[in-house]
Amino acid sequence: MKNNFWKTALCLVLVLISAFAGSTCVKAGNDTVDELDGLIDGITAFKMKSAGVGSLRQYAGETLAAEAGKSAEWYVIALAQSGEQLDFSAYYSSLKAYIRENENISAVTKQKLALCLVALGARSDEFLSSAADETIGKEGVMSLVFGLHLLKNGCESKVHTPESVAETIVGMQLSDGGWAVTGKVSDADVTAMVLQSLAGLNEKNAAVTQAVEKALTLLSEAQLPGGDFQSFGVPNAESTAQAAVALASLGIDPFADARFVKNGNSVLDGILKYRLPDGSFSHTEGGAYSSTATVQCLCAFVAAKRFYSGGEAFYSLDLEREELTPERGFVPGYKFWVCAGIGAAAAAAVTAVFVRGKSKKNALFIVAAAGICIAAVLFTDIQSRESYYGSGEERGEPAGTVTLEIRCDTIAGKTGEEYIPDSGVVLAAEEFTLYEGDTVYDITVAAARAHGIQMESDGTNYISGIAFIYERQFGDLSGWIYRVNGETPSVGCGEYAPSDGDKIQWIYSCEMGRDID
């Protein structure tokens, strides 16, 4: 009798412990999702403030639509995958226009645009099949990675299958267990992105399973004591964010798995080292705002939220989303309302002409003038002086001179675009005055002003475009890199203070600097 009593009591205790433990786990999960929501909201609030818009709906309908094909795509995919109910039809129309007007889009960029279309529900778009057939494997491992994402999301190809591409990727695994764009030493960033593409296939293929496990071991060993990861010897937010997306995609707790907690620091701790007070993220710890770091961290938070909420992997795009077509309408931006105002004023003026019995020539003149004004609005981007060239604040006392040069040899003669110089020289080496307190950013702004060179900056000391050549325009690893005396600094251009006699170079790279060594 006593034995039965103690057995019953013991069972009751175990049930209570299990219930308590279960409730604790659920609470921890809910707390994590709440924290991720806060981080996501912080990034979107920062982007809305930077764009001067008052709502996420306006940001999606106006800001992202204006940046279609240039810098909007990962924000669009992340927001679409976050569960936000936003109208992306204006962005879709802009993206389709960008695709029509740009024939020489690089392979990886074409894949990114195709993934964006799938994420928005444009599943019958003819661009998808051409992207799958024509781009996979054309630009190394990254074109295999994003090509595999396309195939896994139902993009049909007459040439490739998910299994064949996965086999090729596995065959490229390096002896240390990971992958790299070039060389024989694995890169944490590239390895994480490969793992994202192999997610799901590792459950069906023994060779893929073995490759994934080997890569996870490498990734665990590569994690730094602060929870973050490095690439090319530089700890950074982007590599850490990619690792989080990879773990969540593979069904591994991205912020709690014991293999990815070092000195008590998780991958989330590693990412948060790079968070700035305004909600954005820097490339290096303590650095300035980085557009790339911020959007990749947004993707990591969305991927983790989907994991903790029981959702699919980040790149498992929502195929149940209502199919998007250009006919679904659009969200009007400021250009629409300006053009509408010009049209209304012209109509009123023409009516007045006829009422007063004036010559038809007067009416035709009004119509022609209105047409010219509307064309000017449509083909002109209105930006403040600060957003175009920076703040233009007074500089200090002269402290010497530096030489500045801007080149794009990596893409010269490859696209047929007239704005890309055949010589690869945007600005020949020229001497500029160095003032006390100047950074490389300040010198670059001064050079752009002096020579009327277009420069894209949102006023945060981050340069995303020079001479209408933008980051990620020629692949997801492409962008402008600066060097001082032949070396690539580990801080942003807004933080590096050059010295008298320094030689500064801005060079466009298609492979994060690997192609300009």
Side-chain angles (χ1 to χ4, degrees):
M1 186 73 174
K2 288 182 178 180
N3 288 339
N4 289 336
F5 170 80
W6 287 113
K7 286 180 180 178
T8 303
L10 180 59
C11 288
L12 181 59
V13 170
L14 290 173
V15 168
L16 290 173
I17 290 174
S18 298
F20 177 78
S23 65
T24 302
C25 290
V26 170
K27 184 178 185 297
N30 289 338
D31 286 347
T32 302
V33 171
D34 289 342
E35 182 177 6
L36 291 169
D37 279 334
L39 293 168
I40 292 169
D41 290 343
I43 292 175
T44 55
F46 167 79
K47 295 300 293 184
M48 287 188 292
K49 182 178 180 181
S50 299
V53 297
S55 68
L56 199 55
R57 178 179 179 275
Q58 189 180 7
Y59 177 69
E62 294 182 10
T63 308
L64 293 180
E67 297 172 354
K70 299 175 183 177
S71 59
E73 281 60 54
W74 292 121
Y75 281 105
V76 171
I77 292 174
L79 290 172
Q81 292 294 83
S82 72
E84 291 283 352
Q85 300 300 312
L86 298 170
D87 183 1
F88 287 108
S89 53
Y91 165 82
Y92 175 62
S93 297
S94 296
L95 181 59
K96 289 295 292 180
Y98 177 86
I99 292 171
R100 286 193 302 270
E101 296 164 5
N102 293 270
E103 297 180 358
N104 298 306
I105 302 175
S106 68
V108 174
T109 298
K110 193 170 185 179
Q111 292 170 340
K112 175 183 65 177
L113 301 183
L115 280 171
C116 206
L117 291 173
V118 176
L120 296 181
R123 298 178 293 278
S124 60
D125 196 291
E126 68 278 2
F127 182 73
L128 302 181
S129 58
S130 66
D133 280 339
E134 299 169 6
T135 63
I136 296 177
K138 298 298 183 181
E139 291 179 1
V141 65
M142 298 314 301
S143 63
L144 292 166
V145 165
F146 290 111
L148 184 52
H149 284 310
L150 282 176
L151 296 174
K152 287 168 57 181
N153 278 285
C155 293
E156 297 182 357
S157 170
K158 300 174 183 178
V159 183
H160 308 281
T161 66
E163 293 73 21
S164 68
V165 176
E167 183 180 354
T168 301
I169 291 175
V170 170
M172 298 172 68
Q173 190 170 28
L174 301 173
S175 59
D176 61 6
W179 288 264
V181 172
T182 60
K184 297 182 179 180
V185 178
S186 294
D187 179 76
D189 209 313
V190 177
T191 298
M193 296 176 79
V194 169
L195 288 174
Q196 295 163 20
S197 71
L198 295 176
L201 298 176
N202 60 312
E203 301 171 357
K204 308 172 184 177
N205 185 299
V208 175
T209 300
Q210 185 177 4
V212 167
E213 290 303 320
K214 190 176 179 181
L216 285 171
T217 299
L218 169 79
L219 209 57
S220 174
E221 294 172 350
Q223 189 178 20
L224 301 173
D228 50 346
F229 291 81
Q230 63 182 359
S231 182
F232 292 95
V234 179
N236 65 88
E238 295 94 316
S239 296
T240 314
Q242 293 294 350
V245 177
L247 296 178
S249 299
L250 290 166
I252 299 171
D253 192 319
F255 302 144
D257 188 281
R259 292 170 292 178
F260 295 94
V261 178
K262 302 295 188 296
N263 284 355
N265 293 310
S266 68
V267 177
L268 179 58
D269 295 319
I271 296 176
L272 294 182
K273 290 172 60 177
Y274 304 92
R275 190 170 190 252
L276 301 176
D278 58 14
S280 67
F281 286 79
S282 61
H283 171 62
T284 55
E285 187 175 4
Y289 159 73
S290 165
S291 175
T292 304
T294 300
V295 73
Q296 290 193 22
C297 288
L298 174 63
C299 292
F301 297 145
V302 171
K305 179 182 176 181
R306 290 170 69 89
F307 171 84
Y308 289 117
S309 302
E312 297 292 328
F314 180 76
Y315 282 102
S316 294
L317 304 176
D318 187 359
L319 300 183
E320 298 302 318
R321 187 174 285 116
E322 181 183 354
E323 181 149 11
L324 188 65
T325 62
E327 290 73 30
R328 282 185 57 196
F330 69 100
V331 179
Y334 78 89
K335 291 187 178 184
F336 171 84
W337 296 115
V338 172
C339 291
I342 294 171
V350 169
T351 301
V353 166
F354 284 111
V355 168
R356 295 179 182 181
K358 300 292 184 180
S359 170
K360 291 183 180 180
K361 290 183 179 180
N362 293 335
L364 292 174
F365 175 79
I366 292 171
V367 171
I372 292 171
C373 292
I374 290 173
V377 171
L378 291 176
F379 292 101
T380 303
D381 285 326
I382 300 173
Q383 292 179 288
S384 68
R385 182 173 181 271
E386 288 73 19
S387 65
Y388 189 77
Y389 277 123
S391 61
E393 295 176 356
E394 290 294 324
R395 297 156 77 185
E397 295 296 320
T401 60
V402 295
T403 302
L404 179 71
E405 181 182 20
I406 305 174
R407 305 188 64 95
C408 60
D409 301 83
T410 55
I411 56 174
K414 295 182 179 179
T415 67
E417 298 288 356
E418 294 182 0
Y419 61 88
I420 298 177
D422 292 335
S423 64
V425 179
V426 175
L427 177 66
E430 183 175 329
E431 197 172 85
F432 291 89
T433 301
L434 174 69
Y435 294 88
E436 291 181 0
D438 267 357
T439 65
V440 169
Y441 178 84
D442 298 320
I443 297 293
T444 308
V445 169
R449 282 201 185 103
H451 289 275
I453 298 172
Q454 182 268 355
M455 191 185 86
E456 192 77 19
S457 170
D458 56 9
T460 58
N461 293 353
Y462 178 83
I463 297 173
S464 60
I466 300 175
F468 300 102
I469 304 169
Y470 295 91
E471 63 176 345
R472 298 195 293 275
Q473 186 175 345
F474 295 90
D476 272 355
L477 302 180
S478 65
W480 288 100
I481 292 175
Y482 81 95
R483 288 181 168 181
V484 180
N485 301 325
E487 300 292 329
T488 304
S490 60
V491 297
C493 67
E495 299 172 80
Y496 191 97
S499 302
D500 181 30
D502 279 350
K503 298 182 184 301
I504 302 168
Q505 284 183 309
W506 280 98
I507 306 173
Y508 193 84
S509 168
C510 294
E511 297 180 0
M512 293 178 64
R514 298 174 180 87
D515 53 345
I516 58 177
D517 291 328

